Amino acid sequence: MLVLVIADLFIPLRAKAIPQELNELLQKDTYDLIVSTGNLGDKSVHSYFKELGKLVVIDGGHDVGVKGLEDTAEAMAGELKIGVTRESEFDKIQSVQRKLAADIVIHKSPSHTCTAFSKKGVVYVCPGSASGAFSLSHHDVTPSFLVLEIIDTDVNVYQYSCENDELHVTGKTFTITNPLNAKSEE
């Protein structure tokens, strides 16, 4: 199963578009699920991602003209449960993880920095900003997004970024140790 994880585009508020190198990659694959922590931009940006696959998006606070978005969401990816939150502080992210019993947690970063790590068998990912939109704390943001390839309980995380018109791809593999009953460190 392929899951596109994308966020904080702020199109047209803070950025004009996704860099061409990244946008071409977005259109190359077929995604089973697209998950976003919001701030995609206006309705046209939301519509664009809905055309790429099933979209699960939460309220990022700056989704212009898009109504009915919640603060958290959940979705299934095979046997794994994905929790989505706009939280950026780790203790609050863990609280959402416990509440949703999520195996994978997709969260925000105030700096729009892309990250992926595992703690106590739970995978935590933040896609950064695919457009490179500035944040209130960082004005020089590297455009990035993530693709999760989920095979049983293995999560291959591919980070795509674009710096100086050059595409970079890195990957990590995590194993979910206790699907659907994930517990974070108290």
Side-chain angles (χ1 to χ4, degrees):
M1 174 173 230
L2 275 185
V3 180
L4 171 63
V5 183
I6 198 154
D8 293 322
L9 296 166
F10 287 99
I11 295 173
L13 301 171
R14 297 184 190 173
K16 291 181 182 179
I18 298 169
Q20 182 178 347
E21 296 83 359
L22 291 180
N23 200 32
E24 288 173 1
L25 279 171
L26 287 174
Q27 297 175 15
K28 184 180 117 185
D29 286 321
T30 301
Y31 304 101
D32 299 295
L33 186 63
I34 299 169
V35 181
S36 174
T37 59
N39 294 332
L40 294 179
D42 62 22
K43 281 184 177 181
S44 67
V45 180
H46 282 255
S47 295
Y48 171 76
F49 285 103
K50 283 180 182 176
E51 290 175 14
L52 294 179
K54 179 183 175 194
L55 178 63
V56 174
V57 61
I58 62 169
D59 183 6
H62 299 281
D63 293 285
V64 180
V66 180
K67 307 260 187 240
L69 300 177
E70 302 290 330
D71 289 340
T72 62
E74 52 190 271
M76 294 301 296
E79 349 172 349
L80 303 180
K81 190 175 193 182
I82 297 174
V84 189
T85 179
R86 61 193 253 173
E87 297 292 351
S88 59
E89 294 176 27
F90 193 63
D91 60 332
K92 292 179 180 177
I93 294 167
Q94 285 184 303
S95 177
V96 171
Q97 181 275 323
R98 285 189 297 273
K99 179 181 173 187
L100 299 177
D103 302 302
I104 302 167
V105 180
I106 299 169
H107 62 89
K108 288 193 153 309
S109 164
S111 63
H112 296 175
T113 303
C114 190
T115 60
F117 64 94
S118 177
K119 184 169 184 172
K120 298 275 186 179
V122 177
V123 175
Y124 297 89
V125 298
C126 175
S129 168
S131 66
F134 70 89
S135 73
L136 298 179
S137 62
H138 290 78
H139 291 277
D140 189 22
V141 175
T142 300
S144 63
F145 66 84
L146 297 170
V147 173
L148 310 181
E149 178 187 36
I150 300 172
I151 304 168
D152 297 320
T153 58
D154 289 333
V155 182
N156 300 311
V157 179
Y158 301 100
Q159 176 184 339
Y160 296 88
S161 61
C162 185
E163 206 163 6
N164 300 322
D165 297 327
E166 196 172 305
L167 183 66
H168 301 277
V169 181
T170 59
K172 297 178 184 180
T173 299
F174 302 100
T175 299
I176 304 296
T177 56
N178 193 12
L180 294 178
N181 293 304
K183 301 289 180 205
S184 286
E185 188 175 41
E186 296 292 328

